[in-house]
Amino acid sequence: MNMKKFILIVITFSYLFIQTLYAQGEIKLNQIGFYPDSPKIAVVPGDMGGEFQVIDVETGETVYVSALHAPKSWEFSGEQVSLADFSDLTMPGRYRVIHETAGSSYEFEISDEIFRELSKASIKAYYFNRASTELKEEHAGIWARPMGHPDNVVYIHESAASTERPEGTVISSPKGWYDAGDYNKYAVNSGISTYTLMAAYEHFPEYYKQLSLNIPESENGKPDILDEIRWNLDWLLTAQDPHDGGVYHKVTTKNFAGVVMPHETTADRYAVMKSTSGTLNFAAVMAVAYRIYDSYDPIFAAKAIAAAKRAWDWAVQNPEQYYIQPPDIQTGAYGDRNLSDEFDWAAAELYITTREAKYWNARNFHEINVGIPSWSYVRPLAWVSLAHHRDKLTAASDIDLIEQRIIEQGDELLEEVQRSAYGITMGRYERDFVWGSNGVIGNHSLMLLQAYRVTGDETYLNAARANLDYILGRNATGYSFVTGFGSKPPMFPHHRQSAADGNVDPVPGFVVGGPQPGQQDGCEYPSDLPATTFLDHWCSYSTNEVAINWNAPLVYLIGALEFYSSP
Ligand SMILES: [Ca+2]
Ligand SMILES: [Ca+2]
Ligand SMILES: [Ca+2]
């Protein structure tokens, strides 16, 4: 036996020894890894104390040893945990964290561009959810599928009937993204989702201009993220009634489809009720679209801003047309009885784009706070856009106010990071562990990143990085919550295509809803606690569904980290 072979065998054995001695995944960390210069934290369960080691998995050598932090308890998972901080380890490579009593983490990597593939996949998830098109193998690989929902025949529902478009009128409303695990299209949830992707581009255009997603538009010379967003904007434009500017709340079947592929559903599709909430979301998004698309497609951009103004005018005329689910429609309602935040957001975007003081003056920005964005609470998005454009606004606005609001929100979130046993923001607000909790932490991160952008203080950036660590494995469930990424990703998301396609691996790049104690689906859960009530099962639509509004802040977060961490 030559020496080389001998060494290889020794390495293999020591590696296998490490693998068998320590249960993998007991120590929780980001299962993809870390940038060389970013903080690196693992969470060790229990209160055993002592030292932890970082092992190079190729050589089997211990490359870092340090003491665990003092244990803290985390009420959301009913655990005591200690943080293991190995931020000083900056050498690129593949590693594992071990502790002699607690066990081992999964393997992870330290590298530049560590989240580049995840960044692409999180955007490409939208491509996989495109309505009205075939997904070809050259773009979709094993997830190729025939076209579903052409939506060139959509009936005006009784609730949406008008003089010009009586009940049963046929309109064409193709394209758009399927909202979630289901196959319907909702103006309200499209609002925050499409906005957040556009904000990612608006804030980091240099990063996205070079990011190729291998989608059908990859060779057209325009940024692929803009091509992907456009697929939904094209649909959204068709959801506006050209006769009055009001926007249909949704394009939907009457009931949810079974567990079938898109092309296997044939139920009629309806445009349902114009709503103030849908119309204001539309106004905000189309106002942003003008800014994003004007240099690539000025004709489209002009159409978008004109549509935004008409939508705003309709909403001002119809300020309380709250969505009411008609008795024969069973799909998602996205009902919202407080539209002051939608008015604030649409006003802010129209003001930024048009520079007309009347939009700023339509609302009282000095009297409103920030908060965390969600589909029903979009006021923070106004502050995000105002902060990005603050140096170019007219005298009508107030730069100091905008910066102050963003920093206050960032500081509120940092307080929780310092208190938290897991070193993250989850738990700051009573409703953090709610349906779509992974969207919540994504939106916490979005707001932290705005505070970083305003101040340059890396404490905010590092808190956002910690939140991504949570999504990718540094959490009490031990899962990486993104399909296709990490050592223990969800395999059975509540996503009809993934469940019906015959592939073992689910469609990649989707973050699942995440833990929350509601158990609205009646599945059998291993826990009742907020941070551990999670089930990787089709049954669990309350913790394991996917949705366009949960992926969007993840896209933003990863893109921002890749942008700021470029060497
Ligand atoms: Ca392109
Ligand atoms: Ca609202
Ligand atoms: Ca499958």
Side-chain angles (χ1 to χ4, degrees):
M1 184 185 302
N2 68 31
M3 195 60 190
K4 223 172 175 178
K5 207 166 175 186
F6 175 73
I7 290 171
L8 193 68
I9 287 170
V10 170
I11 288 171
T12 309
F13 268 98
S14 52
Y15 179 56
L16 287 175
F17 177 70
I18 292 166
Q19 275 198 317
T20 48
L21 186 62
Y22 298 108
Q24 288 187 61
E26 292 300 315
I27 294 176
K28 319 287 181 40
L29 49 59
N30 185 322
Q31 293 170 22
I32 296 178
F34 307 89
Y35 300 106
D37 68 346
S38 66
K40 301 168 196 75
I41 305 277
V43 167
V44 179
D47 60 350
M48 59 267 301
E51 290 181 331
F52 69 95
Q53 300 171 52
V54 184
I55 309 284
D56 183 321
V57 298
E58 265 132 52
T59 64
E61 280 173 24
T62 299
V63 294
Y64 192 86
V65 181
S66 188
L68 292 179
H69 288 194
K72 279 186 180 179
S73 53
W74 207 44
E75 63 266 43
F76 309 107
S77 61
E79 288 174 290
Q80 291 250 65
V81 298
S82 304
L83 299 184
D85 185 341
F86 54 103
S87 304
D88 294 342
L89 178 63
T90 58
M91 178 77 78
R94 294 196 62 80
Y95 305 95
R96 186 188 290 273
V97 174
I98 60 170
H99 179 278
E100 61 176 9
T101 323
S104 167
S105 72
Y106 292 115
E107 262 186 54
F108 63 92
E109 192 173 357
I110 294 178
S111 156
D112 290 327
E113 301 187 355
I114 187 75
F115 304 127
R116 188 60 55 98
E117 290 310 310
L118 179 62
S119 175
K120 292 180 192 173
S122 62
I123 308 166
K124 190 148 177 182
Y126 292 84
Y127 163 77
F128 286 115
N129 256 26
R130 283 187 187 186
S132 318
T133 189
E134 173 192 10
L135 306 190
K136 292 204 169 82
E137 200 185 336
E138 60 191 289
H139 306 116
I142 61 167
W143 298 282
R145 59 166 171 81
M147 175 175 77
H149 305 90
D151 284 344
N152 53 349
V153 175
V154 170
Y155 300 100
I156 296 294
H157 186 264
E158 181 188 7
S159 59
S162 60
T163 313
E164 295 85 357
R165 288 181 163 184
E167 180 184 0
T169 303
V170 171
I171 64 167
S172 182
S173 192
K175 302 170 87 175
W177 300 311
Y178 300 132
D179 183 62
D182 66 324
Y183 293 136
N184 303 299
K185 307 188 288 200
Y186 307 85
V188 166
N189 206 38
S190 265
I192 185 169
S193 308
T194 313
Y195 167 77
T196 305
L197 297 187
M198 287 195 289
Y201 177 81
E202 189 169 43
H203 300 181
F204 312 111
E206 306 86 341
Y207 173 69
Y208 287 106
K209 278 176 185 169
Q210 47 80 44
L211 200 69
S212 175
L213 304 177
N214 184 28
I215 57 177
E217 302 82 9
S218 284
E219 305 303 322
N220 69 358
K222 299 174 188 176
D224 282 359
I225 191 173
L226 295 190
D227 295 322
E228 194 49 58
I229 295 167
R230 182 70 186 273
W231 193 265
N232 204 52
L233 291 172
D234 284 350
W235 163 64
L236 209 45
L237 275 176
T238 70
Q240 185 177 44
D241 182 347
H243 301 97
D244 66 5
V247 175
Y248 303 114
H249 197 71
K250 55 180 172 176
V251 169
T252 181
T253 47
K254 288 192 170 180
N255 298 293
F256 285 117
V259 188
V260 295
M261 294 299 284
H263 65 280
E264 295 170 323
T265 67
T266 52
D268 288 339
R269 305 270 273 181
Y270 296 88
V272 179
M273 191 180 158
K274 287 170 203 162
S275 68
T276 310
S277 56
T279 304
L280 287 168
N281 271 276
F282 177 102
V285 161
M286 291 302 166
V288 179
Y290 175 84
R291 306 196 295 262
I292 305 291
Y293 288 89
D294 188 38
S295 61
Y296 288 105
D297 190 343
I299 293 170
F300 170 73
K303 206 193 271 187
I305 188 60
K309 290 178 180 173
R310 292 199 70 204
W312 170 263
D313 292 343
W314 186 93
V316 168
Q317 296 289 314
N318 302 272
E320 293 178 342
Q321 195 148 318
Y322 303 114
Y323 180 70
I324 299 161
Q325 182 94 305
D328 62 336
I329 302 284
Q330 308 301 324
T331 55
Y334 289 106
D336 183 356
R337 300 284 299 184
N338 184 347
L339 304 183
S340 61
D341 54 298
E342 280 77 8
F343 272 106
D344 289 339
W345 180 35
E349 300 298 357
L350 279 157
Y351 164 64
I352 294 165
T353 299
T354 66
R355 303 173 63 78
E356 289 179 41
K358 71 170 184 178
Y359 294 112
W360 175 270
N361 294 331
R363 310 298 298 170
N364 192 349
F365 286 95
H366 284 89
E367 295 300 314
I368 61 171
N369 55 7
V370 187
I372 303 303
S374 71
W375 64 261
S376 62
Y377 182 70
V378 291
R379 179 168 295 134
L381 306 180
W383 293 111
V384 170
S385 285
L386 288 167
H388 177 71
H389 291 277
R390 66 192 183 282
D391 295 332
K392 292 162 279 178
L393 299 175
T394 67
S397 72
D398 182 338
I399 294 179
D400 292 339
L401 173 77
I402 294 165
E403 293 189 346
Q404 186 192 334
R405 287 286 187 273
I406 291 289
I407 295 167
E408 283 166 359
Q409 185 57 58
D411 287 346
E412 226 174 86
L413 287 161
L414 280 189
E415 273 176 30
E416 183 63 21
V417 175
Q418 275 134 25
R419 194 190 74 87
S420 165
Y422 271 73
I424 57 168
T425 56
M426 287 299 274
R428 175 66 180 86
Y429 307 100
E430 200 180 322
R431 287 173 55 78
D432 282 353
F433 287 102
V434 70
W435 199 317
S437 61
N438 284 335
V440 172
I441 195 169
N443 280 308
H444 286 177
S445 310
L446 175 77
M447 298 314 294
L448 285 166
L449 286 162
Q450 305 320 304
Y452 174 60
R453 299 182 74 233
V454 164
T455 63
D457 179 347
E458 288 207 357
T459 320
Y460 301 110
L461 176 64
N462 288 339
R465 287 164 155 170
N467 280 352
L468 182 62
D469 289 348
Y470 168 92
I471 292 171
L472 296 173
R474 177 174 142 194
N475 63 67
T477 72
Y479 279 91
S480 162
F481 290 121
V482 182
T483 55
F485 287 85
S487 299
K488 190 184 179 185
M491 293 300 288
F492 309 101
H494 190 92
H495 180 236
R496 278 171 176 70
Q497 294 174 69
S498 294
D501 64 4
N503 291 321
V504 172
D505 289 322
V507 176
F510 280 106
V511 66
V512 296
Q516 60 102 359
Q519 307 193 9
Q520 291 88 344
D521 41 41
C523 311
E524 192 85 21
Y525 285 89
S527 163
D528 292 325
L529 293 170
T532 45
T533 303
F534 174 76
L535 199 61
D536 177 24
H537 193 288
W538 161 265
C539 165
S540 181
Y541 57 80
S542 76
T543 73
N544 207 36
E545 191 170 356
V546 307
I548 57 173
N549 63 314
W550 304 333
N551 249 64
L554 180 71
V555 167
Y556 186 98
L557 168 58
I558 304 165
L561 297 193
E562 281 288 297
F563 174 78
Y564 288 121
S565 304
S566 294

